[in-house]
Amino acid sequence: MYTVKEFIEKFICKAGESTEQLIENEWQIQKWTARTYKTTGNVLAAEMYDVSPKEEIVKLKLKPNTRRESLPIPEILLEEALYKGWIIQEIRFMKDGRTPLSTTYRMGPGLFEYERLKSEEAFEEDRILKQTLMDEVEDSKGVLANDFFQQIVQFSTDETDSEDWGKERIRKFHYFLIAFLQLKRLQPKMEYKEIGATYYKKTGGSKAFDSYREAFIRRLEKWLNAPISELGIISVGSIVPIFFTGNLTGTFSSYSLGTVHATTEIAVTDENFQTSAKTLWLVENRAVLTRMATEVEFLQNTEALVIGVDGHIRGAHLKMIKQLCSNSSIEKAIIWVDYDEAGQIIARDLVNLVKEIPYRLIGNEGNVFRDYELYKTWSSSIQHAEQEMTLGGPEEWSMWIKM
């Protein structure tokens, strides 16, 4: 813990400055040189401070370097915060060392110590949570594929999250994985809401993971390259459609050129899809899919199959694309997404999925890329744009196939 003097000199004083106490709860900021001495400011800070700030003070989200000319709290609370050392007031002087130049409110040592202790507690809780998850992984060996467990371990041990999730979502996903593995050892199949209900065993437990359901499902399916039904999670309250146009056959179904078709994640789980197409188009937006579907002659002449990934690549999309790349006559994949951060992530995931066959990434400046990193660098340098802004037609599409 810092003394008030140490706190002021570390976070308030500028280079070459120091502080001395004038009277109770008032400190003077001084600047000494070999020849001169100057008073540069005053600080109002409680000599004895409290480390249990009120919620309204915590919600201000002050940091040691934060300066506020005013605070959105009642005057009586501000006085209490100054008295208890949650807030300090910094007054800076003009060159004469007397005339006030500015008055700001800063984080005080009481609030700083509270945040430090809370951070240490959170770090320890996260360490225990991660270890609990690793124990569950060890106890669950043999229940699921080793590749899936490797994904869990990597997720839990990576210093930065590959999906840029916030701390709270990452923490919640740890609890979800622990709950899922515990239930999976007891029963091979489950409903999504069972996971929270059986883990928390209280009213509302079934809804514990609902707020992040879509994000959790997408992550699991990305790990699997398949629908989460392959984990035994047979129902999440909705059915995921997959829209496409082109020739496609499965164990129980057959589709041909001429319009937009749809299948579902349930069908993908049971079907073994194949196609006679040689060019596989993977497009982000449905508008692109429906536009291309009208050019039947183009699709027929180029032997193309077009799949819409809808901006969120679900496990059903992943499994279907993986099937087609491994057991069909696909010779080339054309990846066409929006030109923004989300599009870069979708492009990256699709490249990782189809990289065993030649692929092309479509730019919106008449350019085509055969390398994802080059595409990412280019995409990061341009203004955000949607596919539809440069939709083109059969002439452009044919040219992209040949490039």
Side-chain angles (χ1 to χ4, degrees):
M1 292 177 63
Y2 290 107
T3 65
V4 175
K5 178 179 173 65
E6 290 170 340
F7 184 86
I8 293 173
E9 291 188 339
K10 181 172 179 63
F11 297 111
I12 307 299
C13 290
K14 300 176 182 179
E17 294 180 338
S18 60
T19 188
E20 289 295 334
Q21 188 168 11
L22 293 176
I23 58 175
E24 184 181 7
N25 300 340
E26 186 173 348
W27 307 74
Q28 186 180 76
I29 301 176
Q30 309 164 341
K31 188 166 186 177
W32 294 80
T33 67
R35 296 181 179 180
T36 63
Y37 157 78
K38 188 192 315 184
T39 300
T40 57
N42 271 19
V43 174
L44 301 180
E47 188 174 0
M48 302 297 293
Y49 57 85
D50 176 83
V51 296
S52 301
K54 290 186 174 179
E55 186 178 355
E56 296 94 326
I57 301 299
V58 176
K59 286 182 176 179
L60 294 173
K61 297 186 182 299
L62 297 177
K63 301 298 179 185
N65 295 323
T66 302
R67 290 178 172 84
R68 300 271 183 87
E69 293 184 1
S70 62
L71 297 173
I73 56 176
E75 186 67 25
I76 190 170
L77 177 57
L78 176 59
E79 291 178 2
E80 180 184 4
L82 289 168
Y83 177 75
K84 293 186 175 180
W86 305 332
I87 303 292
I88 60 179
Q89 186 182 55
E90 176 189 7
I91 303 170
R92 284 287 171 173
F93 297 147
M94 292 184 175
K95 291 183 179 181
D96 62 14
R98 298 185 305 274
T99 307
L101 175 65
S102 65
T103 300
T104 56
Y105 295 100
R106 308 280 299 271
M107 169 185 265
L111 179 59
F112 177 86
E113 186 63 18
Y114 165 80
E115 294 288 359
R116 186 186 68 81
L117 293 172
K118 189 174 72 169
S119 178
E120 287 184 355
E121 290 174 2
F123 179 83
E124 180 61 16
E125 289 175 4
D126 286 346
R127 186 193 66 78
I128 294 172
L129 184 61
K130 290 181 179 183
Q131 184 57 54
T132 302
L133 178 57
M134 293 303 100
D135 292 342
E136 293 296 336
V137 168
E138 190 62 32
D139 291 343
S140 302
K141 291 290 180 64
V143 176
L144 294 162
N146 287 335
D147 287 350
F148 182 73
F149 291 123
Q150 289 172 6
Q151 295 278 10
I152 293 178
V153 172
Q154 184 173 342
F155 159 76
S156 187
T157 56
D158 277 351
E159 292 186 6
T160 57
D161 184 63
S162 62
E163 301 290 328
D164 293 326
W165 282 4
K167 290 183 179 179
E168 185 55 36
R169 184 181 294 192
I170 290 173
R171 190 174 292 120
K172 196 75 170 180
F173 194 47
H174 274 82
Y175 281 112
F176 174 83
L177 291 170
I178 291 168
F180 165 69
L181 291 176
Q182 288 180 354
L183 184 58
K184 183 66 176 177
R185 292 200 301 272
L186 297 176
Q187 60 189 61
K189 296 182 179 181
M190 65 197 72
E191 208 280 342
Y192 183 87
K193 286 183 175 291
E194 280 187 87
I195 299 171
T198 56
Y199 182 73
Y200 289 105
K201 294 181 174 63
K202 64 179 182 181
T203 302
S206 65
K207 301 177 182 178
F209 303 118
D210 279 3
S211 59
Y212 295 126
R213 180 175 63 180
E214 290 300 313
F216 287 178
I217 290 172
R218 283 200 300 271
R219 189 144 200 169
L220 291 175
E221 292 183 333
K222 185 178 292 187
W223 287 355
L224 291 168
N225 282 338
I228 58 169
S229 57
E230 295 202 359
L231 291 174
I233 305 175
I234 57 175
S235 173
V236 295
S238 62
I239 299 175
V240 177
I242 305 172
F243 298 101
F244 64 94
T245 185
N247 292 311
L248 187 72
T249 58
T251 308
F252 309 105
S253 56
S254 179
Y255 306 89
S256 59
L257 283 168
T259 188
V260 174
H261 302 291
T263 186
T264 67
E265 61 178 333
I266 297 173
V268 170
T269 300
D270 298 329
E271 295 264 32
N272 183 24
F273 284 115
Q274 298 181 25
T275 181
S276 60
K278 293 183 178 180
T279 304
L280 175 63
W281 289 78
L282 302 173
V283 301
E284 180 177 352
N285 298 335
R286 292 185 187 179
V288 179
L289 169 65
T290 54
R291 170 68 180 89
M292 296 185 75
T294 64
E295 301 293 345
V296 178
E297 184 177 351
F298 162 79
L299 296 174
Q300 189 170 25
N301 292 341
T302 59
E303 299 180 273
L305 171 67
V306 187
I307 298 177
V309 296
D310 281 346
H312 294 296
I313 309 175
R314 296 291 300 271
H317 296 93
L318 297 172
K319 183 169 183 178
M320 183 177 185
I321 294 167
K322 191 175 181 180
Q323 280 183 359
L324 296 175
C325 289
S326 61
N327 66 9
S328 298
S329 55
I330 301 295
E331 296 177 354
K332 182 184 299 183
I334 309 291
I335 299 170
W336 190 8
V337 297
D338 285 339
Y339 307 101
D340 54 19
E341 288 87 351
Q344 288 181 11
I345 294 173
I346 295 170
R348 179 198 66 191
D349 294 340
L350 291 174
V351 166
N352 289 334
L353 193 63
V354 306
K355 60 185 177 183
E356 298 303 320
I357 62 174
Y359 66 85
R360 303 289 186 271
L361 291 152
I362 305 303
N364 67 344
E365 298 175 338
N367 46 351
V368 175
F369 298 84
R370 301 188 182 196
D371 178 83
Y372 172 73
E373 292 302 325
L374 292 176
Y375 172 82
K376 180 181 177 182
T377 300
W378 167 82
S379 180
S380 300
S381 69
I382 65 168
Q383 185 176 353
H384 290 179
E386 296 180 316
Q387 291 175 273
E388 293 89 340
M389 294 173 65
T390 51
L391 189 53
E395 185 176 342
E396 289 88 350
W397 306 338
S398 297
M399 180 178 63
W400 295 342
I401 294 174
K402 296 173 182 177
M403 293 178 70

